[in-house]
Amino acid sequence: MPLIPFRLTIERLRTLVLVAAGLLIVALVGSLAVSHWKSRFNLGEIPKKLGVDIEQEANGVTYTQTRKGHTLFKIHASKVVQLKAGGKALLHDVQIELYGEDGSRVDRIVGDEFEYDQQAGIATAAGPVEITMMKPGTAPAVAPKAMPQEAAKGTRPDTVLGNAAQTVAAGQVQVKTSGLTFNQKTGVATTGQRVEFAVVQGTGSAVGATFDSNNGLMVLDHAVELTVQKDGGDAVIHARHAEFERTALLCTLTAAEAAYRNAKATAGEGKILFRQDGSAVRLDAHGGFTLTTANGGHVAAPQGWLEFGEKNQPRRGHLEGGVKMDSVTGGRQAHGSSPVAELEFTGQGDLRHVHLERGVEMASEEDTAGAHISREWRSPVADVAFRAGAKGKTELDSLTGQGGVTMTGQTRRGDGAMSPSLMSAEAVTASFGAEGQLRQAVGTGRASVEQTTATGAVQTTTGDRLVANFAASAARQSAKAASPASHGAAAQAAEIESATVDGNVVLVEKPAQKLGQPPQPELRATAAHAIYDGAGGWLHLTGNPRVVNGGIEMTADKVDVSQQAGNTGGDAFAHGNVKATWANDGRGGASQAGANSSDSNSAGTVGLGGQSPAHVIAAEAEFHQATGAATFKGNARLWQDANSVAAPEIVLDRGKRTLVAHGNGAANPVRVVLLSAGGGLDGKSGSGAKGSAGQKTQSKPAQPSVIRLRGDQMWYSDAARRAVMTSLSSGRVTAETGTATSSSDSVELVLAQAGSQTGNHAEGFKNNSQAGASQVERMTAQGNVVLTSPGTQGDRQGTGAQLVYTGRTGQYVLTGTPSTPPKMSDPERGVVTGKALIFNSRDDSVSIEGSGEKTTTVTRAPSR
């Protein structure tokens, strides 16, 4: 979150203090001068003293006032005229030197002519007046404790005076004005004329001034101005009004404004407290305080204060009443607000830390590489740290929020819609690089990141701790230029370079709902640790990762989830010890040709036709969010109740409600085990078979049976209740039941609806755990069929073009073609043939049907 560069704003504060320091010096000059006039310079007494302690030099008069051996002041006039009318006196070419009682200063007042009204007690300078004041803290060279007319050994009086003048010049402050009037009775000196002053820092002026020596107060009426030379440039300070209290060393500025290098600071009212040496102690600003930098930064607060060190360097500060911050840098605009701000500085006076509290809000907008990005920050408390940058600049280093932080963002690419994002945590620390670029954000305590992709999918990631690293601007533009086609993925990678989430990681992706289409289930993933790779847009989950999507739940050693935009968003890839469960998600498949009406609208689990959850194990797995297809690879095995399939690869398609298994040659075929429909369990009789005489033969009790198939590929449709096992050109499909084994080019199976057994069949499964399993109702083998059935004297073998097995009756019907009829070889009866050969597994009987005729031959196999 880019913030306002503070260095120049603090420079404005320091400059504002400089003008107050200058006003302080002017105030000292005026106040001290007036004080000396009142307490030690009574012009009415000069004529009386002309004969006492007067030394005439070129028609001039020099008067020295001492007290207890200390020199207080010296007055020199080239000519004194006592006027008869009005009791006034005129002094010409007057020079007054004022010494501090502790010998710490010497000041000088020079005027061409002074008029003194003894009766009114008012002294008025008839012309311009110049006041020269030694800088506070600088001792004069002349010994102030010297007795009148007594110089240091070997030093003439005129040489002593000359040394003092040289010392004043070395550290002097000069003030010029005119029309100065002093009222001896009130101790107030005033002028309505322009006042000009010069200090070491620069020059200044004001219009009108009042000096109250009794109260130690100096007032500059209006149009106060000071020009300070600093770092090769001029800083200009204006104030509507200024006051200085000498005793309290307090300067008050009204409507103050400081401008320096296109930057400005203003204060409705500023109070500056000084030390004895003239350095600032504290600045209090009221009635509105603003700072504007040359590069577009702006800070405003109703009131605040700053404390300074002995060299006028700021140490700490406080702004309150609603602090507002704004900046414009290049294409980035930033705004911030906080009721309170605390400032801390280094020993050199550089800003290092800002503490914001009671509700912090920050916002920024920028345009970069064809995208408009906006961000907002909200937190109860925020701490901003700064560092020393290149060329003496102060740079933003970090921003830390406490008590619940929310960072929101919106990104628009070209004319596209806004893609919102959200990051929140109990505490967030953002680190910044050069030029205020966001480099890293660390969130702790219920950390969460939410973003909306270009397709409208909402992705949310939460955890105990989140660390996001952002790419620099140059890297952003390079990423976008390198892959303009993958706009969504490149844009996201441009924002976040990498990220890690630790502790109780939860990822949720909600696909955008499309008009006229059924709602897509959300993807939910959990783990102990997550790593986000911005370049590829992948989130890598480790530490017992678990993925739930619709009816599927999957675990593995590692899970990779795509965060890219487009059709690949939300795809998941699992690696190592993959375990998945696919439960009934309530999604019905579309009816297909060959599916009966009762099955076409059923909703169930994608598996092998059962109603119970299907379970899968594999070495790896892929799940595609857009298509709803899941692919399991590496010794994959799926089972549902008693039915199962094992293959190198198994693909489940939730949308189509299909299962496809792929083998890998003879060494790794597809293996399928399916429960076969049967009746008469638990010793109950079946229907029996009719012999040639029409009599029933006794059937053997039917036992629960399964069909085992092996081939190169299997396809199953849950909607059609149909499975097809095929082989490659060199392979065969093998099907084994409890009574026979067949091999063929392909096998088709039709499964009964799970739980649809009736009569004896349903009764037989009522207390059986497989009652909900789907069962094979009919199996059809086609192409070069070979049927083998074991017998007491050897295996019975039949060949033909097609074999149909019906699970409910236990019959095998073998047929051929007109040119190649079916044939069966029996060790006891020899070889038989006909239009159809029917083998009844219940009583081991074989019926042979001829063309258009009834059964002509019955072969009874001995009971086993």
Side-chain angles (χ1 to χ4, degrees), residues 634-650:
N635 298 321
R637 180 173 179 266
L638 178 148
W639 68 95
Q640 186 179 37
D641 298 319
N643 299 330
S644 66
V645 56
E649 180 178 292
I650 298 175

Side-chain angles (χ1 to χ4, degrees), residues 70-93:
H70 297 274
T71 302
L72 299 179
F73 64 88
K74 291 183 179 180
I75 302 174
H76 178 79
S78 63
K79 186 176 182 181
V80 178
V81 177
Q82 180 69 43
L83 302 178
K84 293 181 180 181
K88 297 181 179 180
L90 297 178
L91 299 179
H92 297 277
D93 298 329

Side-chain angles (χ1 to χ4, degrees), residues 30-80:
S31 298
L32 289 175
V34 172
S35 177
H36 281 299
W37 283 358
K38 179 182 178 183
S39 60
R40 301 166 187 144
F41 182 35
N42 190 331
L43 292 179
E45 297 180 355
I46 290 179
K48 301 178 182 179
K49 296 182 178 290
L50 290 179
V52 181
D53 295 333
I54 292 179
E55 180 181 357
Q56 295 194 9
E57 298 175 358
N59 200 29
V61 176
T62 299
Y63 172 71
T64 302
Q65 178 68 50
T66 62
R67 179 182 299 169
K68 297 180 180 180
H70 297 274
T71 302
L72 299 179
F73 64 88
K74 291 183 179 180
I75 302 174
H76 178 79
S78 63
K79 186 176 182 181
V80 178

Side-chain angles (χ1 to χ4, degrees), residues 801-813:
Q802 177 177 285
L803 174 67
V804 177
Y805 167 74
T806 303
R808 293 185 182 277
T809 64
Q811 288 186 341
Y812 296 84
V813 179

Side-chain angles (χ1 to χ4, degrees), residues 703-733:
Q703 299 295 326
S705 63
V706 295
I707 298 178
R708 292 179 171 86
L709 299 100
R710 183 173 64 251
D712 294 321
Q713 180 173 291
M714 187 193 79
W715 171 87
Y716 169 73
S717 169
D718 193 57
R721 314 293 298 177
R722 176 171 169 264
V724 177
M725 176 79 80
T726 58
S727 63
L728 300 177
S729 58
S730 59
R732 300 282 287 166
V733 177

Side-chain angles (χ1 to χ4, degrees), residues 52 62 148 156 170 204 353 370 443 514 521 527 576 590 641 657 719:
V52 181
T62 299
R156 294 173 51 197
H353 182 259
K514 298 180 180 179
D641 298 319
R657 294 180 64 197

